Structure formats: structure tokens, C-alpha cells
Amino acid sequence: MATATLKKVISPSTVTPINDIDEIKTWGEAAKYTWKHKWNGKASEKTSLINMNHWMGVAGYTTPLIRAKKGAWWTQKIEELKEDHAEWTDSTLNRVISSGTTILNFCREQGLCDIKPPKFEKGEEGEHRFTFFTKEDVEKLAFVAVDVFDRPDLADALAFSAYTGVRQGELLKLKVSDVDWMMRCVWVGGKAHLKTKGKECRAVPMHDRVEDLLRKRCNQSHPQSTLFGRDWTNKDQLYGAFKKIRKHSGFTEDYVWHSLRHSFATWLGEVSHPRQIIELMGHKNIETTLRYCKPTDDAMRQAINKL
């Protein structure tokens, strides 16, 4: 696993001591405690640090540890790791996942939490990977966000994510300057002519559904301002708001924010060629894209009618 570009979120010099603690409540606390008392100073500390930082990159430092009780949460994190690191082998992926389970088990053995990792298949798709929203579902969620919770900002984030397929992290990093009105597209990851070698970006054409909300946000902000980041300081805050409207709208916990990205790919799969979908999704290989494109009744019916 390459380490040259690794951002050391936790390192021996940045670990904050946790003294006289009775209970660990967040992943950040759990990771710091495990590093200090289990991995630091061991022969394998470098590898442990790399795997831990990869795991914490998706788990989140402020994420409540109690979420780890559910297999669907682990499956979502595995999915994020797979997509962000498509070049990893299964063994590399599993080592990173094991870092997460080790953190949880060590804290439980120390009497600092009572959460045991649920059973799930490492490196395998979980059931919730197959969840996606229809366009009507997205409109329902957006309606509930505005009409029930008075959160038009959440409605904007939902619609934009569903019609562009951006990841949560990408959504919060987008700037007003990333909206290209001349080409009618949104540059995800920065504009191509401004990127250095090795940095990836993609242009997602602007759907009519999101044009008005983008104009409103761009007209009200400085070019270097974030499009959605001023509404949400982190992914946990955004996901917390999403869970409220998900519950009110009658969707199960199998539907996660990432399901919006699956929805985008599934809708594209009904009308586009796989090569186009790969580019729009920002994937590196067709296997990843195919995991996102779910067969729908309408798509299969159209396929038969074209014979």
C-alpha cells in the first residue's frame, strides 16, 4: 500500500492522552486510546497507523461509537473504502476493515464500551448496497425536508446529490467557481485546466432539476465560497439531518445518503452506455460501476422492446 500521500490524521506526536476515562463514546476517542495502549511502540506500529488512518477516514472521528452495532453501518463504510480505493486487493481492504474491528474489540475488552462488531462479510456487498431511490422518492424527501422540517438547504443537497452522483465529501467541498455556466456542467474535484498531474476531476452536465438551485446559490455567494459547505460543517451533521427526513418519509435504515449516488447510476443505466456512466461517476473500472447500476423493471422492459 502506498504511503507517500498518506495524511497522518493520527500519529505518535498528535495523540492526545485519554486519562481517567470511564466510557468511550466516539470513534475518535476509541482510535486514540487503541493507538496509545495497543499499537504505539510495537514493531508493526507503522502498518497499524496506516490502516487505522484509512479506516478513520471513512468512520469519522466524531461518529458515535454506538453506530457500529449495526451491520448496515459497516457495509456502508466498506462500500466507501472500495470506491475510494478501487486499486486495493481484497486482502488490503480486509486489513483496513480489521483495524476498525480491532479498535472496537480492544475498547470493549478494556471495559470502555459494550459494543461488539456485528457479523458482516468483509469485502462483500451487503444488502443495503442495492438500495436506490426513484425520482419520485427524491422529490418526496425534498418535500419533507422543506414542508415538515423547514430545511430547504437539505432539499437542495438531496436533489443535487441525486442528479449529479457526487459523494458526501465531494458535495461539501464544491465551490461556486466549480459551476461552469458556459459549459453547463459542474466540475467535481476542481476544473481540469487547474489540476496538477495525478489529480482527478470530472465534469457532470447540469440537469434541469438542479439549475435553479445552483443559480440561486451562485448568485448569493463569492466564487470561492462553498456551494453547500456553509450549510453543513461535516458529513455527520448532514447525515443526521437526512436520517430525520428518511424516518418521516417511511424509508428504512437500509437507505443511506450514499443511496443517492446509487440512484444516479441506476437512472443513468436506463438511458446511457456504461462508458458514459463510468466517466460521470468518476470510477476507474466497469466492475465498480456495475455494482451501482441496478436493473429496473422499466429498463429491462425497454431492452426487450428494442430486440
Side-chain angles (χ1 to χ4, degrees):
M1 188 188 309
T3 61
T5 60
L6 176 67
K7 179 181 179 182
K8 290 191 176 182
V9 183
I10 295 180
S11 67
S13 61
T14 61
V15 174
T16 301
I18 302 178
N19 300 317
D20 302 324
I21 191 167
D22 295 323
E23 182 181 9
I24 284 178
K25 296 183 179 180
T26 68
W27 270 101
E29 294 173 346
K32 289 178 180 180
Y33 184 87
T34 304
W35 167 259
K36 179 181 179 182
H37 298 285
K38 183 175 178 65
W39 288 321
N40 190 22
K42 300 294 177 62
S44 60
E45 70 170 16
K46 183 177 180 180
T47 299
S48 297
L49 178 63
I50 292 172
N51 291 331
M52 179 174 64
N53 283 338
H54 278 307
W55 172 253
M56 293 304 298
V58 295
Y61 280 80
T62 61
T63 303
L65 209 59
I66 195 171
R67 291 188 186 175
K69 282 187 174 182
K70 297 184 178 180
W73 183 86
W74 288 87
T75 304
Q76 180 187 357
K77 300 308 165 186
I78 294 171
E79 176 179 359
E80 292 175 12
L81 285 170
K82 276 187 171 183
E83 184 173 2
D84 292 342
H85 303 280
E87 74 282 3
W88 283 0
T89 62
D90 287 342
S91 59
T92 298
L93 174 67
N94 288 336
R95 282 196 296 271
V96 173
I97 298 169
S98 293
S99 179
T101 57
T102 298
I103 290 171
L104 198 59
N105 284 328
F106 182 73
C107 291
R108 181 169 55 86
E109 291 167 0
Q110 297 297 306
L112 298 175
C113 75
D114 60 357
I115 302 170
K116 182 179 181 180
K119 292 183 178 180
F120 58 88
E121 292 294 328
K122 293 183 180 179
E124 296 291 334
E125 290 191 10
E127 192 64 25
H128 104 271
R129 291 175 68 93
F130 296 93
T131 59
F132 66 93
F133 297 108
T134 64
K135 293 177 181 178
E136 291 75 17
D137 291 337
V138 171
E139 295 307 319
K140 179 180 180 180
L141 290 167
F143 175 81
V144 169
V146 175
D147 194 64
V148 179
F149 293 94
D150 192 26
R151 294 303 302 263
D153 51 353
L154 180 57
D156 285 355
L158 283 163
F160 183 83
S161 296
Y163 282 88
T164 60
V166 295
R167 305 171 179 90
Q168 264 185 290
E170 293 172 336
L171 175 76
L172 299 181
K173 292 178 182 177
L174 282 173
K175 295 181 178 180
V176 172
S177 58
D178 292 326
V179 181
D180 191 329
W181 292 105
M182 183 174 293
M183 294 185 64
R184 281 186 54 81
C185 71
V186 178
W187 290 93
V188 182
K191 293 185 178 180
H193 68 282
L194 298 177
K195 302 301 288 185
T196 58
K197 185 177 181 181
K199 299 292 185 180
E200 298 179 2
C201 64
R202 66 185 186 277
V204 180
M206 192 183 302
H207 192 279
D208 292 343
R209 174 62 177 83
V210 300
E211 180 176 352
D212 287 343
L213 72 86
L214 284 177
R215 285 193 182 279
K216 181 178 179 180
R217 286 178 172 268
C218 288
N219 290 338
Q220 295 176 347
S221 306
H222 186 275
Q224 292 306 308
S225 298
T226 55
L227 271 172
F228 299 93
R230 63 183 182 272
D231 299 325
W232 317 97
T233 58
N234 56 59
K235 293 192 291 185
D236 290 341
Q237 188 183 52
L238 175 60
Y239 193 61
F242 167 76
K243 289 196 297 182
K244 292 179 181 178
I245 67 164
R246 177 186 65 188
K247 181 178 180 180
H248 191 278
S249 301
F251 293 99
T252 68
E253 292 184 356
D254 289 337
Y255 288 85
V256 295
W257 187 271
H258 207 69
S259 298
L260 294 166
R261 185 163 161 81
H262 283 250
S263 305
F264 177 68
T266 298
W267 301 348
L268 286 175
E270 295 180 341
V271 297
S272 302
H273 188 278
R275 289 189 180 277
Q276 296 170 334
I277 303 175
I278 290 175
E279 294 298 324
L280 291 170
M281 293 290 287
H283 289 154
K284 295 181 179 179
N285 58 70
I286 186 63
E287 287 78 12
T288 303
T289 301
L290 291 177
R291 289 202 299 267
Y292 276 74
C293 295
K294 315 302 185 298
T296 64
D297 291 340
D298 286 342
M300 290 188 287
R301 190 175 297 110
Q302 291 176 25
I304 294 297
N305 291 337
K306 290 180 181 179
L307 293 177

